[in-house]
Amino acid sequence: MSVTMEKIVSLCKRRGFIFQSSEIYGGINACYDYGPLGVELKKNIKEIWWRSMVYERDDIVGLDAAILMHPRVWEASGHVAGFTDPLVDCRICKQRFREDEIPPAKWEKRQCPHCGNVGSLTDARQFNLMFKTHMGPIEEDASVVYLRPETAQGIYVNFKNVIDSSRKKIPFGIAQIGKAFRNEITPGNFTFRTREFEQAEMQFFVKPGHDEAKFEMWQKIRMDWYRRIGIRENKMRFRPHGSGELAHYAKAAMDIEYEYPIGWKELEGIHNRTDYDLTRHQEYSGKDLSYFDDASRERFVPYIIETSAGIDRTVLTCLIDGYEEEKLDNETRIVLHLDPKIAPIKTAVFPLVNRDGMPELAHQIAKELMGDFNVFYDDSGAVGRRYRRQDEAGTPYCITIDSQTLQDQTVTIRDRDSMKQDRVPIHGISVELKNRIQGKN
Ligand code: ATP
């Protein structure tokens, strides 16, 4: 049975991965909250991204810039003038569209894709996607500030600060994870396109002329990263941008796409942004953002290779990629095959029955494991049902304390994917789990 967005939405709500924001008030469009399981999944994904970008390399450092920035930043970046989508309204059914989403044959007749009426669509108006607010108590034009629509600009404006304080030499990168906001015209498909989302971006500064090789290098590294968090290789592909669709700042762009239930769509963008960003910030700020290269005794404005990932979109991708409805002899089990490294709960501990000292021993084992893992204790209902609940939560290993445990101090570890159970001594469980989570067994 194939996975649909509706099945993912329903699992997310049922198990506490993702909820509609402000649901008890009827919800607010295109904003979502992460529940107890979702927050762990998201945190694990961010942690692996940070580890691979910052800790496992000696040429990237981290940054955490403010969401609100000087309004001139967004003039320099081109967002005030150019971060717009063409908005089209249907005069009859009041639906809104992005012009580029309307099939050309319909657009020619101004036919609404929703209600079908011919001649009902307005001309396209350019609509700026940045959220505006006011800084300070007076709501006047001079106090307008924007919620950042991307995290990248916080990195560019800190380029000099980071160089001067960290003594990094080019080529090097700056990585950042943080919230971004876009007043999307047509959000939708659950958390695929929302108005508030989290980005994980890395800007790699290189000498002009070295940009093309690094652009290639980063495509490979980023594709490898998605494999590392367990996404199936045959569901991903590269898609280069044609010259007609390149953003104003980019010399080349490559998307990593995933095959979602709604088709192949962008998961991450990798861009060769040239010296556009630093040159513009130089012009608008009047500050010198060039770099002196000791090795070649040359001064230049660095080129930038950007890797821009969406954390919420990655969470959604992992949920979709891992979802399976598996036919067993007389039932269907829903299982989330999340990579153990990103699974919200690493292990669940069950006493087989609630007597003979089994719950006490199970509690003790769970407590000991809590120092190292996110552990869930469950003693309610038949053990088969408890396994099923963990399968849906993506918990890779379940530990069961049974009557044999009381005799020989061994427990069973059940594997979520194969459903195979192995007996291991209690004193070895922690190491056993660690090895399995790291893929060493
Ligand atoms: P699109 O053209 O589809 O609007 P984009 O090309 O503008 O997207 P980027 O600016 O390259 O997207 O953003 C980088 C990444 O940030 C995307 O690959 C995606 O993972 C994430 N992202 C962008 N917009 C949203 C959104 N509205 N909701 C969730 N994630 C988003």
Side-chain angles (χ1 to χ4, degrees):
M1 244 174 283
S2 65
V3 52
T4 60
M5 220 48 128
E6 291 71 33
K7 285 178 182 173
I8 297 295
V9 173
S10 145
L11 174 78
C12 282
K13 163 123 170 122
R14 188 166 75 242
R15 297 314 317 265
F17 280 97
I18 302 172
F19 309 122
Q20 173 75 64
S21 163
S22 321
E23 196 185 283
I24 60 168
Y25 287 96
I28 176 164
N29 196 12
C31 296
Y32 290 92
D33 300 341
Y34 288 78
L37 293 185
V39 68
E40 297 297 332
L41 178 57
K42 194 176 188 192
K43 197 160 67 67
N44 293 340
I45 288 172
K46 287 194 276 188
E47 205 260 332
I48 296 178
W49 187 88
W50 194 264
R51 191 164 352 124
S52 75
M53 283 293 188
V54 182
Y55 300 155
E56 292 175 5
R57 307 181 60 97
D58 58 9
D59 57 358
I60 297 185
V61 290
L63 182 81
D64 185 15
I67 287 172
L68 300 176
M69 302 180 73
H70 195 288
R72 292 273 286 166
V73 168
W74 306 110
E75 289 171 30
S77 69
H79 283 83
V80 170
F83 193 54
T84 54
D85 270 349
L87 167 70
V88 173
D89 286 300
C90 173
R91 293 191 193 88
I92 312 264
C93 73
K94 309 291 176 210
Q95 281 278 323
R96 296 219 135 129
F97 308 93
R98 246 166 55 181
E99 184 193 339
D100 56 353
E101 291 170 343
I102 304 169
K106 293 204 164 88
W107 180 233
E108 245 173 53
K109 291 185 277 172
R110 294 289 196 271
Q111 182 184 16
C112 174
H114 184 68
C115 69
N117 280 295
V118 173
S120 69
L121 297 180
T122 62
D123 287 343
R125 286 175 290 141
Q126 289 302 321
F127 171 75
N128 195 295
L129 301 182
M130 283 198 293
F131 277 97
K132 260 189 209 171
T133 185
H134 294 269
M135 192 154 241
I138 300 169
E139 292 196 8
E140 58 185 9
D141 285 353
S143 67
V144 164
V145 289
Y146 301 96
L147 301 187
R148 67 179 176 200
E150 62 175 30
T151 57
Q153 300 300 326
I155 295 182
Y156 306 144
V157 300
N158 278 295
F159 170 67
K160 261 278 185 267
N161 283 335
V162 173
I163 285 264
D164 292 348
S165 56
S166 69
R167 311 192 61 79
K168 284 282 166 208
K169 295 216 175 333
I170 276 175
F172 86 101
I174 303 177
Q176 169 165 237
I177 298 178
K179 290 269 188 175
F181 303 82
R182 294 182 188 178
N183 204 356
E184 301 274 4
I185 296 175
T186 48
N189 291 309
F190 198 32
T191 55
F192 181 83
R193 189 181 300 285
T194 54
R195 292 195 169 119
E196 170 177 346
F197 56 98
E198 217 163 352
Q199 288 189 312
E201 294 195 305
M202 192 283 302
Q203 313 292 324
F204 204 70
F205 300 88
V206 302
K207 189 174 171 183
H210 295 189
D211 51 309
E212 288 177 16
K214 295 294 185 214
F215 179 57
E216 297 279 321
M217 176 185 97
W218 277 106
Q219 291 170 29
K220 184 175 171 321
I221 296 175
R222 292 304 302 147
M223 185 61 107
D224 284 346
W225 185 81
Y226 287 106
R227 290 192 200 107
R228 175 171 169 182
I229 59 167
I231 297 177
R232 284 170 295 170
E233 189 147 3
N234 63 348
K235 301 289 274 183
M236 293 188 290
R237 71 179 186 193
F238 283 115
R239 191 183 71 82
H241 282 211
S243 52
E245 61 177 323
L246 279 180
H248 59 280
Y249 54 75
K251 170 173 161 187
M254 182 69 88
D255 287 347
I256 295 179
E257 291 192 335
Y258 180 83
E259 190 177 17
Y260 295 92
I262 48 171
W264 286 96
K265 300 266 177 215
E266 173 180 338
L267 173 56
E268 162 159 353
I270 300 154
H271 310 120
N272 181 346
R273 303 184 62 122
T274 71
D275 57 2
Y276 176 82
D277 306 282
L278 291 181
T279 305
R280 292 277 290 195
H281 284 302
Q282 237 178 202
E283 277 171 29
Y284 279 72
S285 69
K287 299 286 183 313
D288 177 15
L289 299 180
S290 66
Y291 172 83
F292 183 74
D293 185 31
D294 283 331
S296 64
R297 315 295 300 164
E298 285 172 88
R299 180 168 285 283
F300 54 79
V301 176
Y303 268 40
I304 292 172
I305 307 301
E306 164 185 73
T307 69
S308 181
I311 293 293
D312 308 80
R313 206 173 276 184
T314 305
V315 168
L316 178 65
T317 308
C318 290
L319 290 167
I320 290 171
D321 198 65
Y323 185 95
E324 189 190 9
E325 290 177 11
E326 192 183 40
K327 281 258 170 285
L328 302 179
D329 287 343
N330 45 15
E331 61 168 324
T332 304
R333 81 162 178 148
I334 296 178
V335 51
L336 266 187
H337 299 287
L338 297 176
D339 186 288
K341 292 193 290 300
I342 61 168
I345 300 168
K346 302 297 184 222
T347 190
V349 179
F350 308 150
L352 184 64
V353 289
N354 279 320
R355 55 183 153 75
D356 305 334
M358 288 184 211
E360 291 76 9
L361 188 52
H363 268 301
Q364 194 186 324
I365 291 172
K367 204 156 179 211
E368 275 166 31
L369 292 173
M370 276 172 197
D372 296 323
F373 310 99
N374 191 17
V375 179
F376 187 80
Y377 177 88
D378 189 3
D379 61 9
S380 63
V383 76
R385 288 247 286 288
R386 285 181 255 165
Y387 285 141
R388 290 291 174 273
R389 286 202 288 267
Q390 294 307 315
D391 289 341
E392 268 197 347
T395 307
Y397 309 110
C398 291
I399 294 170
T400 302
I401 286 80
D402 55 15
S403 51
Q404 194 177 328
T405 312
L406 307 174
Q407 289 158 18
D408 66 4
Q409 298 287 300
T410 62
V411 294
T412 61
I413 294 194
R414 175 211 186 245
D415 181 275
R416 173 198 67 201
D417 298 340
S418 67
M419 294 191 282
K420 200 167 137 279
Q421 298 191 24
D422 297 315
R423 282 209 93 84
V424 296
I426 291 175
H427 66 80
I429 317 174
S430 183
V431 173
E432 177 70 22
L433 282 174
K434 248 180 222 156
N435 287 340
R436 288 190 184 206
I437 291 165
Q438 292 307 322
K440 290 187 189 144
N441 279 16

